[in-house]
Each structure stands twice: as C-alpha cells, then as structure tokens.
Amino acid sequence: MLNASAESGSASMPKPRRRPVVVIIAALLMVPSIVIWLIAGVAFFLAMLRTEGDGLGKFLVVGIGAGVLAIALLVVLLASMGIFMAWTGDNAAGLAVPAGFTFGLFVVVIVTLLAQGKLSYHPTMVTPLVVGGLAGVSLILIKSPPARAWFASRASG
C-alpha cells in the first residue's frame, strides 16, 4: 500500500528531461568563437593604437579600433550569455544570434574572396575558417529537432 501511494505521487510530477547532447555540443562549440572574438578585438584595437600619425587622423583610427573592439566585446557578451541560456534551457535564440552572426561573417568573407578570386591558403586563414565553421555547426545543432523539443518542453514546464 505504501509503495502504491509513492508511485502515484511520483507519476503526477513530470520527470525533468535531460539536456540533449546537441545542446551540450552547440554550447561547447561556441567557446572557441568567444576566445577568437576577444583576441581579435583586442589585437585590432592595439594595432590601431600603434599606427603612425597624429592629430585627427590618429584619433579617427583609434576610434575605429575602439568601435571594432566594442563590437567584438558585444559578441563575446552575447555568446557567453547565449551559452548560459542554452545550458539552462532558457532560450535557444540566445545562442543562435551570436552563432548566426559569426557564421554570417564567415560566409560573407568566403563569398567575397571567391568572387574576387583571391581565395588561397594562408596559415592565418585557418583560425577564422575553423571558428566560422564551428559557429555554423553550433547554429545547426541548436536549431535541430531534439534541441527545439527540449527548449519547448522547458518553456511549457
């Protein structure tokens, strides 16, 4: 009798679903993107800071560097928050937005280089290609049916 009441009590409470593997992989694939955005933003700003010149030209160049750094830091912030949101099951869009932005830039650069006929291998191109590809895979995974079903079940429950 005691066993039957315990079973009926546990049947009324829904069992929490585990986080799908695709969500875990999508979140982990965005970590290199965060690191590269941070490094690239700081490196670009430092390069602009070290340019020659003085007066208004120097001010404008440093301003452009600061703007690029601000965009890079914004993407880092959005991707970090997106990973947290995806990990907790709050929202898939939090991770899809920075992944889509990173992948979109990757596609635009590749198409532009192909259109200009300037696509050739340089060792410095490996990192952006890999990070853009990882962001694309992360975007596909976060929009996959198992991930969408998990996020929907988290939102309704």
Side-chain angles (χ1 to χ4, degrees), residues 21-44:
V21 174
V22 292
V23 173
I24 295 169
I25 294 171
L28 292 177
L29 287 178
M30 283 304 291
V31 173
S33 178
I34 290 173
V35 172
I36 295 303
W37 274 107
L38 187 60
I39 292 170
V42 170
F44 188 83

Side-chain angles (χ1 to χ4, degrees), residues 54-69:
D54 56 355
L56 183 61
K58 176 78 171 183
F59 178 74
L60 290 175
V61 168
V62 172
I64 291 170
V68 169
L69 176 60

Side-chain angles (χ1 to χ4, degrees), residues 71-123:
I71 291 170
L73 291 177
L74 179 64
V75 174
V76 167
L77 175 69
L78 290 175
S80 300
M81 289 173 40
I83 288 173
F84 179 74
M85 291 169 68
W87 194 261
T88 59
D90 186 28
N91 193 340
L95 189 61
V97 169
F101 180 74
T102 302
F103 183 68
L105 284 177
F106 164 74
V107 169
V108 166
V109 168
I110 293 296
V111 168
T112 302
L113 290 173
L114 283 172
Q116 294 175 353
K118 295 182 179 178
L119 190 62
S120 62
Y121 175 75
H122 297 284

Side-chain angles (χ1 to χ4, degrees), residues 1-16:
M1 184 71 161
L2 183 61
N3 235 359
S5 65
E7 285 179 21
S8 65
S10 66
S12 65
M13 292 176 38
K15 206 181 226 183

